[in-house]
Amino acid sequence: MTNPSAWWKKGTIYQIYPRSFQDSNGDGVGDLPGIMQRLDYCRWLGCDAVWLSPIYPSPMADFGYDVSDYTAIDPVFGTMADFDALVSKARRLGLRVLLDLIPNHTSDHHPWFVASRQSRDNPYRDWYVWRDPAPGGGPPNNWQSHFGGAAWEFDAATGQYYLHTYLKEQPDLNWWNPEVRRAIYDVMRFWLDRGVDGFRVDAVAHLIKDAQLRDEPPNPDYQPHQPPYHRQLHVYSMDQPELAEVIAEMRAVVDAYGDRALIGESYLPIERLCRYYGHEGRGLSFPFNFQLIKSPWEAARVRAAVESCEARLSASMWPSWVLGNHDRARVASRIGRAAARAAAVLLLTLRGTPTLYYGDEIGMVDVPIPPEMVQDPCEKNLPGYGVGRDPERTPMQWDAGPSAGFTTGRPWLPVARDYPTCNVAAQRNDPTSMLTLYRRLLELRARHPALHLGEYVPVEQPVEQVMAYVRRSAAEQFLVAINFRPQRCDVLLAGLGLGGRVRVSTHLDRDGERFAGLVRLRGNEAVVVELGENL
């Protein structure tokens, strides 16, 4: 069973995209020494763990998600000594360190694949998914790549195709092969031995494919504006029943090191995500739940997403919530900065582990990338579909100096034009800033068990665009009320039988304000109200 005192239940995770967080040597790309310089900021903000997107050696076809060596550091990010120093400093600050694990595929430069493609009888051949052409010629089946085109690449030297769920430079490992499993588990142990506190497992739903490699059926709901990948229903290339065994094996590796976390990435509906928790704590600590990213900013839709999650998770399953990451548009761009403040209240008061994406705490927005500066292979392969991920990966905005304090050189992606005013230094001592709001919310969440371990109780409201709920433990309870519209509205406290006092509001100007029968909210405002007979 899940440890009720596991650090990740109380904690908050902060995602760092290493290329864009802090550059220490002026080459325009973020690195490990730069991250180490900024760990004090992560601790000051109130986060409990930092998750680093890939830092392994890579040809950078997909910026680190094409790994050529699982047990080393890419020179662009630094050295293993830099990594060890970062982990050591994190420990001193009370921060945990999580790494990205990329087990579905490697780079085509990885020694395993280099050996695999040498001949059909090479010992590493079965480490990847190789198949003969279809009887009439062409790819073995109709599977499509996430990044456009067929998911198969022909190798003329050996006369077979290899599978790649993403770029052709990212051949898929064969997870039916026990040698592959053992090799990846050894990779996990290597980093756990170096002191990491767990992993975010990339593309976890894709590890096991249908053993017969059957064709995918067409998607009857496909829309022309969607990328070609969505033309099919992916019932054979992902989310297979046998995946449960693999995840249980991964969990056993992690559990051997004590209080460690195993987190999975998969864009699946909650009813399918539930299977990834496994049986009796033998699955993921939790899978990322992306419902808040995918849901429109409407009270009814968000409430339905939250309550569906609450209804489906058993007592042994722990929720998680995410507003942004390196693959999706920033929350302030999706819903606007005013609403993004209310979304911060939602994220940091729901039951479950929240994950913050760097820069969201200061209201960073997507940065338009001129065609000649596009880096993302997804955008290059699928222009016109709006799938480019560069806009949400731009450099962290630290101050009003050149390149926002990110680098002394030319940044690998352009910095937002608003960085002179939207930056950490400008907001750090501003009592009404977005950064102050995040810090206040994180402090409140950490200090009160009702907000990090307490139960979630929805509170029905007659106003359509209002969402309200109570978080409570045996000793305390808090009302959270969120106005999703720009007009004022009232939130009724009827039925709660208690008055309350505001602890945090989006506007940061109502501390200590008392309420009895109702709470009046301004447009796009959210409040956290401590409830009690004497408040």
Side-chain angles (χ1 to χ4, degrees):
M1 297 294 288
T2 299
N3 179 1
S5 62
W7 69 263
W8 40 266
K9 285 195 166 186
K10 180 180 177 181
T12 302
I13 299 169
Y14 187 85
Q15 182 190 356
I16 292 173
Y17 193 70
R19 295 181 68 87
S20 296
F21 199 59
Q22 180 65 62
D23 172 26
S24 71
N25 60 10
D27 66 358
V29 178
D31 47 42
L32 293 178
I35 294 171
M36 189 163 64
Q37 291 172 20
R38 300 295 188 177
L39 286 180
D40 294 273
Y41 165 79
C42 299
R43 180 73 275 183
W44 170 85
L45 179 61
C47 296
D48 301 277
V50 292
W51 150 36
L52 307 183
S53 292
I55 53 175
Y56 314 107
S58 167
M60 299 295 170
D62 190 22
F63 294 103
Y65 286 93
D66 49 320
V67 179
S68 58
D69 185 344
Y70 282 109
T71 56
I73 303 294
D74 194 290
V76 75
F77 298 124
T79 66
M80 190 62 77
D82 292 328
F83 177 80
D84 291 340
L86 186 154
V87 171
S88 179
K89 181 172 181 179
R91 285 283 175 276
R92 294 196 301 272
L93 292 172
L95 284 169
R96 310 263 181 169
V97 177
L98 304 175
L99 290 186
D100 244 318
L101 181 69
I102 323 296
N104 178 69
H105 48 265
T106 69
S107 164
D108 59 353
H109 289 207
H110 196 291
W112 299 344
F113 187 71
V114 172
S116 179
R117 75 187 311 174
Q118 287 178 355
S119 67
R120 293 194 182 197
D121 59 0
N122 187 279
Y124 283 93
R125 187 69 169 187
D126 192 47
W127 283 48
Y128 294 84
V129 184
W130 291 93
R131 291 294 185 275
D132 289 329
N141 64 22
N142 71 347
W143 292 4
Q144 294 291 298
S145 161
H146 272 281
F147 289 172
W152 296 93
E153 183 71 11
F154 185 66
D155 180 65
T158 58
Q160 286 189 317
Y161 285 84
Y162 67 84
L163 179 67
H164 59 92
T165 299
Y166 296 92
L167 295 174
K168 65 182 178 62
E169 295 85 358
Q170 296 170 290
D172 281 25
L173 286 163
N174 175 19
W175 273 82
W176 290 100
N177 185 337
E179 291 182 279
V180 169
R181 298 189 190 188
R182 286 194 291 269
I184 295 298
Y185 303 156
D186 283 345
V187 167
M188 296 171 68
R189 293 184 186 98
F190 174 88
W191 293 107
L192 290 163
D193 286 340
R194 296 199 90 91
V196 305
D197 295 283
F199 303 95
R200 173 264 195 188
V201 185
D202 181 67
V204 65
H206 288 280
L207 298 189
I208 294 287
K209 282 80 172 176
D210 174 51
Q212 301 176 50
L213 298 179
R214 286 171 282 187
D215 279 356
E216 301 282 33
N219 178 6
D221 297 322
Y222 173 74
Q223 300 296 320
H225 69 274
Q226 294 176 307
Y229 181 78
H230 296 284
R231 289 176 180 160
Q232 298 173 345
L233 296 176
H234 304 286
V235 298
Y236 296 120
S237 60
M238 62 179 293
D239 197 29
Q240 300 301 293
E242 295 87 354
L243 184 58
E245 178 185 346
V246 169
I247 294 175
E249 291 171 358
M250 285 185 169
R251 181 63 181 268
V253 172
V254 170
D255 282 353
Y257 287 80
D259 193 9
R260 302 292 190 268
L262 188 68
I263 306 166
E265 181 225 19
S266 183
Y267 286 85
L268 292 172
I270 189 64
E271 61 271 17
R272 291 165 69 184
L273 278 180
C274 285
R275 299 203 298 265
Y276 289 72
Y277 288 93
H279 179 65
E280 295 185 349
R282 296 182 66 243
L284 299 171
S285 304
F286 57 84
F288 278 139
N289 180 354
F290 297 122
Q291 307 307 309
L292 296 184
I293 288 181
K294 297 190 292 184
S295 175
W297 186 247
E298 300 170 4
R301 298 286 291 272
V302 171
R303 185 187 307 114
V306 172
E307 293 178 8
S308 175
C309 175
E310 286 288 338
R312 291 179 182 275
L313 297 189
S314 70
S316 65
M317 298 175 179
W318 187 248
S320 78
W321 298 102
V322 182
L323 279 179
N325 62 27
H326 62 292
D327 288 331
R328 297 298 174 111
R330 286 191 176 273
V331 61
S333 287
R334 297 198 311 269
I335 66 177
R337 280 186 170 134
R341 294 176 75 112
V345 174
L346 176 75
L347 175 70
L348 296 175
T349 59
L350 285 174
R351 189 177 76 92
T353 301
T355 299
L356 280 57
Y357 185 49
Y358 83 96
D360 280 353
E361 74 274 16
I362 59 172
M364 282 178 60
V365 295
D366 293 349
V367 179
I369 308 297
E372 68 275 11
M373 297 187 69
V374 168
Q375 305 279 341
D376 183 17
C378 194
E379 175 67 13
K380 290 179 178 180
N381 289 359
L382 296 167
Y385 284 100
V387 295
R389 300 166 297 175
D390 291 335
E392 60 265 26
R393 297 177 175 185
T394 56
M396 179 65 173
Q397 295 158 208
W398 294 106
D399 57 42
S403 298
F406 163 70
T407 182
T408 57
R410 181 177 180 178
W412 77 288
L413 283 174
V415 176
R417 290 184 177 180
D418 68 355
Y419 84 84
T421 54
C422 179
N423 63 68
V424 170
Q427 295 190 24
R428 187 163 188 148
N429 297 314
D430 179 352
T432 63
S433 70
M434 177 89 84
L435 180 58
T436 299
L437 173 63
Y438 265 88
R439 190 163 184 252
R440 289 277 306 279
L441 287 166
L442 285 163
E443 181 184 25
L444 190 71
R445 185 180 185 277
R447 193 168 67 243
H448 292 281
L451 290 173
H452 58 253
L453 291 175
E455 63 177 317
Y456 167 93
V457 182
V459 178
E460 293 298 324
Q461 292 296 314
V463 181
E464 182 180 354
Q465 281 299 322
V466 168
M467 179 177 176
Y469 50 92
V470 168
R471 297 296 314 284
R472 69 187 181 195
S473 63
E476 56 185 2
Q477 52 184 327
F478 292 83
L479 169 74
V480 181
I482 304 167
N483 183 4
F484 282 70
R485 61 183 184 177
Q487 295 82 24
R488 292 175 177 267
C489 69
D490 292 342
V491 177
L492 300 179
L493 299 181
L496 296 178
L498 298 169
R501 183 168 59 180
V502 173
R503 291 302 188 192
V504 178
S505 70
T506 46
H507 295 59
L508 296 168
D509 60 356
R510 303 180 74 169
D511 288 8
E513 189 173 332
R514 288 177 168 81
F515 294 100
L518 58 83
V519 178
R520 287 206 158 95
L521 296 180
R522 291 165 287 191
N524 295 310
E525 185 175 30
V527 294
V528 183
V529 179
E530 186 176 8
L531 300 174
E533 294 179 359
N534 300 318
L535 294 173

